[in-house]
Structures are given as structure tokens and as C-alpha cells.
Amino acid sequence: MQLKDSTFLITGAASGLGAATAARLVAAGAKVLLCDLNDSVNTHAQQLGGGAQACLADITSAEQMQQAVDKAVVLGGERGLSGVVHCAGVVSVAKLVDREGNPADLEDYAKTININLIGTFNVMRLAAAAMAKNAPNESGERGVIINTASIAAFDGQVGQCAYSASKAGVVGMSLPAARELSRHAIRVMAIAPGVFETPMMSEIPDEAAQALAAAVPFPKRLGKPDEFAQLAEQIITNPMLNGEVIRLDGGIRMQ
């Protein structure tokens, strides 16, 4: 799949991984619809120029995400929507039993699952339905879906039951979705980032962030959002990448 003149929907595009991916794809000649709940996504789209538009939408809302997909299809014109890079999500930390002996809050657990897992399914199903209507491109493809998992899906730490479960669900959907959508010539991939320089990481103390960076074998630092964007670009342009989850973590294994 060629990036030039193709159209992509990117969720979580106001900052971090999504913003970096939007910038890279626009620079390569793609048209991009940036989607986020944060209205700063409008400013970011304006900064990227004529190849970018923005929309406000909640990934857990069927109605709002359908509107976002419809807008992306219109942006794509005759070629429609070529792909989705789904970066929206939340991090949550809560022990099953806290220091006072209280059980974890069930609603907080459900919220994390709803956003990270059900939200991913919502975006994937609506985008796939739109891309299935595309005419095949020169290489026979109709579209590509890239979801964002996490190394927490494999190496979950203490307090990450909800987050790890939600991201493990994203991993678990990748292969069956790829198998199903193969009949429509739509590929499905997932990226499992390690520790990256994102707004989510800024919420933890500097000392903890430094310790995480030191735990990366090489390069011994936090990942840069554009490195995620580079991998997303490579997935889009390499038709043999399908049904797989790629760890992007510098070799770190969480304890």
C-alpha cells in the first residue's frame, strides 16, 4: 500500500503516538483524519496542513465513531478509507487488594476494559466495514488496521490487572480478525510498545521513569513517538505483515 494520496484515520491523535503517526503519514503524502476526545487535536491538524483534518469522537461510542469513519471516507474521495492506526487508550493502576485490605474498584476495572478493549473493537469493526467497500488497490489490498497493544499484555506488573487484561485482549483479537478480514483483503496488525515518551509516561514520577529507561537493554532510554510512527509506516507499506503483534521495546522485559 502506498502512503501518497491514501487516507488514514488515527485515533488518540492529539498527542503522543497518535500525533507522531499523523505527522509522519502526512509528511509522506497521505491524507489523515485525526481523531481524539481532546480538542487540541484541531490545533495539531491545522499545524499539519492541508492533508489533515480533525474530529472529536469517543472511541467507545458507536455513533461518534461511525461519524468519524464516515468523515474519513469522504476525505478519501474515490479511494475511501485506506487504513486505521488506533492509538487511543488509557493507563490504569490498581491493586486487587490495597494496603487497607480493600478490594479493587470494579467500575474502574470495567472502564479500562471498555476504553482499551471494547473501544478497539468498536473502531476496528466500523473501519473494516468501510474499507470492505473499497476497490482493491494496485497490490490487491482494500485496507489495513493497526491496533496498539502494550508489552503489559505479556509482562504485566503488580497493579496492572485491568491494563494488562485490556491489552492482552487487543493481542488476542489480532489473528482472528486478520483471518476473517482476509476475505476482504484487509490486513490487521498490532504494535506492543514498551516504555515511550508520551503524556501517559509524564504522569509517573521522574525517578520511576528513569528507572524504566535504565531497564531497557538497548537503546537505554525511553522510546520516541516517531519510532512508533516509523513502524506503523512500515506495516502499512509491507503487504506481508498481517495477523501479527510486534513488540517495540528495545528488548525490555518487565518485572
Side-chain angles (χ1 to χ4, degrees):
M1 180 177 293
Q2 300 298 313
L3 290 172
K4 184 174 175 56
D5 298 326
S6 295
T7 300
F8 297 88
L9 169 65
I10 301 179
T11 65
S15 61
L17 305 179
T21 303
R24 177 167 279 273
L25 297 189
V26 168
K31 292 182 283 187
V32 175
L33 179 65
L34 291 77
C35 180
D36 205 295
L37 272 178
N38 192 321
D39 59 11
S40 64
V41 72
N42 294 304
T43 301
H44 187 47
Q46 291 172 0
Q47 293 171 342
L48 293 180
Q53 293 183 17
C55 72
L56 297 177
D58 180 348
I59 62 170
T60 66
S61 167
E63 180 180 357
Q64 291 181 32
M65 281 313 306
Q66 183 64 68
Q67 291 173 352
V69 168
D70 290 344
K71 186 172 181 177
V73 170
V74 172
L75 179 62
E78 292 183 358
R79 299 179 66 170
L81 175 63
S82 296
V84 174
V85 185
H86 177 56
C87 299
V90 296
V91 171
S92 63
V93 178
K95 292 185 177 180
L96 285 173
V97 181
D98 66 19
R99 292 179 179 178
E100 286 73 41
N102 300 310
D105 187 280
L106 186 59
E107 290 186 5
D108 286 346
Y109 181 91
K111 179 180 179 181
T112 301
I113 297 296
N114 189 45
I115 294 172
N116 290 354
L117 181 54
I118 297 177
T120 298
F121 181 81
N122 187 38
V123 172
M124 185 164 56
R125 72 185 183 93
L126 297 173
M131 290 188 287
K133 300 174 184 177
N134 293 342
N137 63 17
E138 296 80 2
S139 60
E141 290 184 85
R142 288 190 171 89
V144 58
I145 297 170
I146 303 173
N147 291 321
T148 303
S150 167
I151 60 170
F154 313 101
D155 306 337
Q157 296 180 293
V158 172
Q160 287 190 327
C161 279
Y163 184 67
S164 293
S166 68
K167 293 302 185 176
V170 173
V171 169
M173 288 194 296
S174 298
L175 183 57
R179 285 172 167 167
E180 176 187 343
L181 295 179
S182 64
R183 72 190 68 172
H184 301 293
I186 297 171
R187 293 184 289 123
V188 181
M189 288 286 294
I191 300 174
V195 286
F196 271 68
E197 295 175 353
T198 65
M200 288 183 181
M201 184 59 66
S202 67
E203 296 175 6
I204 71 173
D206 288 342
E207 184 177 341
Q210 291 172 8
L212 286 171
V216 180
F218 187 83
K220 199 166 285 294
R221 58 170 172 79
L222 301 180
K224 300 181 184 301
D226 187 59
E227 291 167 336
F228 176 96
Q230 287 179 51
L231 180 54
E233 179 180 8
Q234 289 160 1
I235 290 171
I236 291 168
T237 56
N238 189 332
M240 280 302 289
L241 287 172
N242 191 20
E244 185 58 88
V245 180
I246 301 176
R247 290 183 65 131
L248 186 67
D249 57 20
I252 192 173
R253 296 298 181 266
M254 306 296 282
Q255 299 296 319

